[in-house]
């Protein structure tokens, strides 16, 4: 390895960003202790701000070292399709017509299951919606599952321990639930074309294993949370008829169908920025023209998530000098463990992308690299891109609007082990 000065600086800043990610609660405490500067501390305490903020710091250093032209060229060389897509899909998937339709379908299916209503809804959100992510993409599945879980379960009087367990299982299940096809999970997308992995290949080598792991993880969460569900049942709580309370007019069926077509269009053209942005602008026009059929759009949350992912793209682009040699130094079995752990600090799509640049990899190395990357996708907020939308939606149900990195990591260990064992032994 012979890194350049910009690469060394980028790696130091990347490490500082990781430390910042695990220290957001510290800034929230500072905001309470020093109200005079509470605004800036609250800003630094937002997890979604972290990588965008440090990407700005990196850009300042690049300006000083390389000049305006080189620094701007580097930013322009990065691919921002994923941050833009997540921004758009979060807003559209969480719109009232879409969400009411999914919520109604979930409630209707839950009533047909031989389970208590809340347990049935909880199980569907942790099994059916993550698997649906293989068709509608992981960010869309995460947005819908998080909104329904938040309103139907986490908004009730449940323990903090159960909340962390729920968000951890959701993150892990979403990460592996997109592996049934070759176009829905970001880490799979990064390698599918290069390695010629189609959807049939993905299902035969990953899909059925993911289904088994998702079911086991959900059963684990239900068993551990059974006392919580029992207490909620005895308190005779009512199911919410909508995942977002609304006082607006009922949404006409034709309007819901139109929104569904717009959502499917965005998903179909997920890799074509001009097309899905055009569809999104049409959606915004409809939302503005018919406000009586909408709740508040998630513009702020989606912007923060896109800012985070954009920063991750900028910082991650200068980390290959140490990540790629590290991957090459491992055997296929070692890369499985290494990828599972590394994805917690690098984003699993970035990890698999670096692997796709290495020529001559064996089939087993390729498999274990992707398997480890998706298995570890729930360990941290940055491990898998769709985790950010989930965090933005569910954080309000946690004390101080903060999901502690240590709490998420601790709760995600067992679900991650289950996923890893499914991919390794089956």
């Amino acid at each position: 390895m012979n890194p350049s000065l910009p690469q060394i600086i980028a790696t130091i800043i990347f490490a500082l960003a990781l430390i910042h990610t695990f220290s957001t609660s510290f800034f929230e405490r500072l905001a309470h202790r020093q109200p005079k500067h509470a605004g800036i501390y609250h800003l630094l305490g937002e997890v979604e701000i972290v990588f965008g903020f440090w990407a700005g710091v990196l850009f300042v250093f690049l300006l000083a070292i390389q000049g305006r032209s080189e620094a701007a060229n580097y930013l322009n060389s990065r691919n921002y399709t994923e941050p833009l897509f997540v921004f758009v899909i979060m807003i559209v998937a969480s719109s009232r017509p879409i969400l009411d339709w999914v919520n109604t379908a979930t409630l209707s299916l839950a009533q047909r299951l031989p389970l208590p209503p809340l347990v049935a809804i909880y199980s569907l959100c942790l099994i059916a919606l993550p698997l649906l992510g293989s068709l509608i993409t992981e960010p869309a599945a995460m947005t819908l599952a998080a909104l329904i879980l938040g309103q139907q379960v986490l908004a009730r009087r449940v323990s903090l321990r159960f909340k962390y367990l729920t968000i951890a299982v959701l993150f892990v299940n979403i990460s592996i639930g997109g592996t049934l096809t070759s176009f829905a999970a970001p880490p799979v997308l990064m390698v599918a074309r290069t390695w010629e992995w189609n959807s049939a290949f993905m299902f035969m080598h990953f899909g059925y294993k993911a289904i088994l792991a998702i079911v086991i993880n959900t059963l684990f969460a239900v068993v551990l949370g059974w006392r919580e569900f029992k207490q909620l049942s005895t308190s005779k709580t009512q199911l919410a008829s909508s995942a977002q309370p609304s006082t607006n007019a009922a949404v006409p069926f034709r309007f819901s169908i139109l929104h569904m077509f717009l959502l499917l269009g965005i998903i179909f053209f997920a890799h074509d920025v001009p097309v899905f942005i055009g569809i999104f602008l049409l959606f915004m026009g409809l939302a503005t023209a018919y406000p009586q059929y909408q709740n508040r759009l998630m513009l702020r949350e989606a912007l923060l998530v896109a800012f985070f992912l954009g920063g991750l793209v900028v910082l991650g682009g200068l980390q290959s000098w140490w990540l790629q040699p590290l991957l090459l130094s491992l055997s296929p079995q070692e890369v499985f463990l290494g990828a599972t752990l590394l994805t917690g600090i690098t984003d699993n799509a970035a990890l698999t992308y670096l692997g796709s640049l290495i020529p001559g990899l064996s089939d087993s190395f390729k498999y274990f690299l992707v398997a480890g990357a998706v298995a570890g996708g729930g360990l941290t907020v940055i491990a898998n891109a769709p985790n950010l939308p989930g965090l933005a939606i569910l954080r309000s149900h946690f004390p101080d609007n903060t999901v502690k990195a240590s709490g998420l990591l601790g709760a995600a260990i067992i679900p991650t082990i289950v996923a890893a064992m499914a991919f390794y032994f089956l």
Side-chain angles (χ1 to χ4, degrees), residues 56-291:
V57 173
L58 172 63
F59 182 66
V60 172
F61 274 99
L62 293 179
L63 280 174
I65 296 171
Q66 297 180 323
R68 177 186 177 280
S69 179
E70 287 294 322
N73 285 340
Y74 171 70
L75 292 187
N76 290 328
S77 70
R78 310 310 301 150
N79 186 345
Y80 302 99
T81 300
E82 187 175 23
L84 288 170
F85 175 75
V86 171
F87 167 74
V88 168
I89 206 71
M90 270 191 74
I91 296 172
V92 178
S94 63
S95 63
R96 186 181 164 210
I98 297 293
L99 193 57
D100 280 0
W101 186 87
V102 174
N103 194 63
T104 300
T106 302
L107 289 174
S108 177
L109 183 56
Q111 292 171 356
R112 290 169 170 76
L113 296 178
L115 294 169
L118 276 179
V119 176
I121 290 174
Y122 186 81
S123 301
L124 287 172
C125 286
L126 292 180
I127 296 176
L129 287 178
L131 292 176
L132 187 62
S134 284
L135 297 177
I136 66 172
T137 74
E138 288 185 350
M142 176 68 83
T143 300
L144 294 170
L147 283 165
I148 297 174
L149 276 174
Q151 181 66 21
Q152 300 286 5
V153 181
L154 299 190
R156 305 177 189 274
R157 298 188 64 178
V158 295
S159 67
L160 184 61
R161 172 176 168 270
F162 181 67
K163 290 180 180 180
Y164 273 107
L165 174 64
T166 299
I167 197 173
V169 172
L170 175 64
F171 284 5
V172 173
N173 285 4
I174 288 287
S175 179
I176 63 178
T179 60
L180 277 68
T181 62
S182 60
F183 56 82
V188 175
L189 272 171
M190 294 298 180
V191 302
R193 182 175 298 179
T194 303
W195 292 346
E196 298 181 348
W197 287 6
N198 57 24
S199 294
F201 176 91
M202 288 304 303
F203 188 84
M204 291 299 298
H205 291 83
F206 291 88
Y208 74 94
K209 303 173 187 179
I211 293 173
L212 178 61
I214 286 171
V215 171
I216 293 174
N217 282 341
T218 303
L219 287 174
F220 170 71
V222 169
V223 170
L224 286 188
W226 191 256
R227 182 177 298 178
E228 311 271 355
F229 290 117
K230 190 174 181 180
Q231 290 175 348
L232 292 175
S233 298
T234 56
S235 65
K236 298 182 179 180
T237 54
Q238 297 295 315
L239 296 179
S241 59
S242 173
Q244 283 186 333
S246 176
T247 57
N248 292 344
V251 180
F253 178 73
R254 63 182 180 277
F255 203 72
S256 297
I257 292 296
L258 179 57
H259 274 62
M260 190 63 69
F261 273 113
L262 292 176
L263 177 66
L264 293 176
I266 290 169
I267 292 169
F268 185 79
F269 292 103
H271 309 297
D272 303 295
V273 176
V275 181
F276 74 68
I277 289 294
I279 298 174
F280 173 68
L281 292 176
L282 177 59
F283 162 82
M284 290 298 294
L286 285 172
T288 303
Y290 298 94

